[in-house]
Amino acid sequence: MDAMTTWWDGVEEWLTSLSFVPQILVCAAVVVPLAIGLSYLMNLLVDTSFRVVDRRESAESDSGEH
């Protein structure tokens, strides 16, 4: 864990030593793909949960009609 924190401290120090424009470019290059990936995963999770709930409701309504 110490190696990870030491590495992260080095990354922070390097990033803060850059001027404003390179900081924005580096952050955008990292944050934008992460945000896209996270939103894609969240979309899959929500779609899957809606499908599961819809199947349960369909199964309950089908069994109640007979």
Side-chain angles (χ1 to χ4, degrees):
M1 193 66 173
D2 287 337
M4 176 88 167
T5 57
T6 302
W7 173 80
W8 183 251
D9 287 342
V11 170
E12 281 183 325
E13 185 177 336
W14 170 76
L15 187 60
T16 56
S17 69
L18 297 175
S19 63
F20 180 72
V21 173
Q23 281 184 8
I24 294 297
L25 294 175
V26 169
C27 287
V30 172
V31 171
V32 170
L34 284 176
I36 291 170
L38 182 62
S39 65
Y40 179 76
L41 290 175
M42 289 175 63
N43 189 33
L44 285 176
L45 177 67
V46 169
D47 283 346
T48 304
S49 63
F50 281 163
R51 285 189 197 126
V52 168
V53 169
D54 187 44
R55 286 182 191 156
R56 287 182 186 165
E57 289 177 357
S58 295
E60 289 172 1
S61 66
D62 290 343
S63 64
E65 292 177 359
H66 296 283

